[in-house]
Amino acid sequence: MMSGKYTSIDAQQVQGSVPAVPDSRQVTVNFADSNLQTFPPSGTQGKITAASGPPRDADDSFSKPISGSDEPQQGGWFRTFTVAAYKPYFDVDTSDVLERIIDSLFPFRGSFNEKTATNPDLYGPFWICTTLIFVAASIGTFVTYVAHKLKSKEWDYDINLVTWSAGLFYGYVTIVPLCLYVILKYFSAPAGLVQLFCLYGYSLFVFIPALCMSIVPLDIFRWVVAGVAGFMSATFVALNLRAHIKSAGERWFLIVAGIFLLQLALAVVLKVYLFTVSV
C-alpha cells in the first residue's frame, strides 16, 4: 500500500527471521582420507619440501641475539670474559691434581704434557700460587721475627711481603706463559695457552717445601734449598717443552735454555728476597 512517498510493509512479513534464499544448486566438498593414527604420514602430502624448508641456522635462531639488539654477543672475544669459558678448566678431581703435583716433583719423567694434553686445568695452578703467597708471607714473617728476637731487637711486621709475593707468583705464572705462547707461535710451533698456564703453575709447587725449609737459620743451607728447588722446577718445564719446541727449527735449543734460565732466576729472586734475613 502506498501513501504519499512512503511504502507500508505488511506486519506479517516483518515478524520472525529473514527467510533464507533457497538455492537449488548443491556444492559437494570431498575431503581426502587421512589416517591420524600414523605419524608422520607415509606419503609426501603435507610435508615441507627442501625448497620451502627453514634456513639452516633456524635451530639456534632463538639462542642468538638479533642483530642490532642491545644484548651482547657471546661469541669470539666476548666469551673470554664469561665464567662459562673457564668452568671446564676447574672441573678436575682431587686425584688428578695430586697426580700432577707428584709428576712435578719428578722432573726427569717429562711426561706431564702428554698426560694433560686433553684436559689441562687451572684449578691446581691457582691454588698452588695462592698457597705460595700465604707460605712466603708467613714463613718470611716468622723467620724475621725469630731473628729479631734472638738479637733482642724490635720487630715490625712487613705487609709488603704479601703484596710482593702475590705480584711475583701471580705475575710470573701469567706473563711468562703468555710471552712463551707468542714466541712459539712466531716460530710456527704454537702451543696451547691453557696448557702452558697449567705447566708453569705446577712447576712452582716445589717452592712450597723449599720455603718451609728456609726456617733453618743457615744461609748456606738456604742457598742449597733454593738452588735445588730452582733446578727441579727449571728441569720440569724445560723437559716437558723440549719435544714440542724442537719443531721450531734450529733455534729450539735457545728457547729451551731461556726457559731453564728463567726458572733459575726465579729461584735466585726468592732466595734474595724471601730466604735472606737481615736484622
Side-chain angles (χ1 to χ4, degrees):
M1 182 187 301
M2 298 290 293
S3 177
K5 295 183 180 180
Y6 298 94
T7 304
S8 62
I9 303 175
D10 192 357
Q12 294 180 356
Q13 297 181 1
V14 178
Q15 295 178 357
S17 59
V18 180
V21 179
D23 191 358
S24 58
R25 293 175 299 174
Q26 296 182 356
V27 180
T28 303
V29 180
N30 296 324
F31 295 94
D33 295 335
S34 61
N35 187 4
L36 299 180
Q37 302 296 329
T38 305
F39 184 84
S42 58
T44 58
Q45 297 180 355
K47 288 187 177 181
I48 300 177
T49 59
S52 61
R56 294 182 179 179
D57 59 345
D59 292 338
D60 58 347
S61 59
F62 290 98
S63 61
K64 294 181 180 180
I66 303 173
S67 61
S69 63
D70 296 334
E71 184 179 354
Q73 297 285 342
Q74 296 298 327
W77 285 100
F78 287 96
R79 191 174 183 276
T80 308
F81 301 99
T82 61
V83 178
Y86 302 96
K87 185 178 179 180
Y89 303 117
F90 288 85
D91 187 11
V92 62
D93 296 333
T94 305
S95 58
D96 296 332
V97 175
L98 291 176
E99 182 180 359
R100 295 173 183 185
I101 289 176
I102 293 173
D103 286 339
S104 67
L105 297 177
F106 295 91
F108 293 100
R109 294 178 179 178
S111 59
F112 183 86
N113 265 5
E114 297 178 1
K115 294 180 179 180
T116 60
T118 57
N119 59 339
D121 72 283
L122 298 178
Y123 179 86
F126 172 78
W127 283 111
I128 288 174
C129 291
T130 304
T131 305
L132 270 171
I133 296 169
F134 172 77
V135 172
S138 58
I139 295 297
T141 301
F142 177 76
V143 170
T144 54
Y145 172 79
V146 173
H148 281 75
K149 289 301 179 182
L150 290 177
K151 294 187 178 182
S152 301
K153 292 186 177 181
E154 186 179 356
W155 172 81
D156 294 325
Y157 176 73
D158 188 7
I159 190 62
N160 293 326
L161 281 175
V162 178
T163 56
W164 188 89
S165 300
L168 175 66
F169 293 119
Y170 282 144
Y172 185 86
V173 83
T174 302
I175 296 175
V176 173
L178 277 174
C179 295
L180 183 59
Y181 173 80
V182 175
I183 293 174
L184 293 180
K185 196 169 185 179
Y186 175 79
F187 285 102
S188 300
L193 181 60
V194 177
Q195 191 166 6
L196 291 176
F197 286 145
C198 180
L199 178 66
Y200 270 89
Y202 281 99
S203 70
L204 299 181
F205 178 80
V206 69
F207 290 106
I208 296 178
L211 285 171
C212 294
M213 287 187 289
S214 66
I215 297 178
V216 179
L218 293 175
D219 193 58
I220 185 63
F221 178 78
R222 291 171 179 169
W223 272 110
V224 172
V225 170
V228 172
F231 178 79
M232 292 177 62
S233 178
T235 305
F236 173 73
V237 176
L239 289 183
N240 278 283
L241 290 176
R242 181 185 61 177
H244 178 77
I245 297 178
K246 278 185 177 180
S247 59
E250 298 178 354
R251 298 182 179 180
W252 71 269
F253 181 78
L254 296 178
I255 300 176
V256 174
I259 293 171
F260 186 87
L261 293 177
L262 191 60
Q263 290 289 109
L264 288 180
L266 175 64
V268 173
V269 171
L270 291 177
K271 167 62 184 72
V272 172
Y273 192 82
L274 295 178
F275 290 17
T276 302
V277 179
S278 57
V279 180

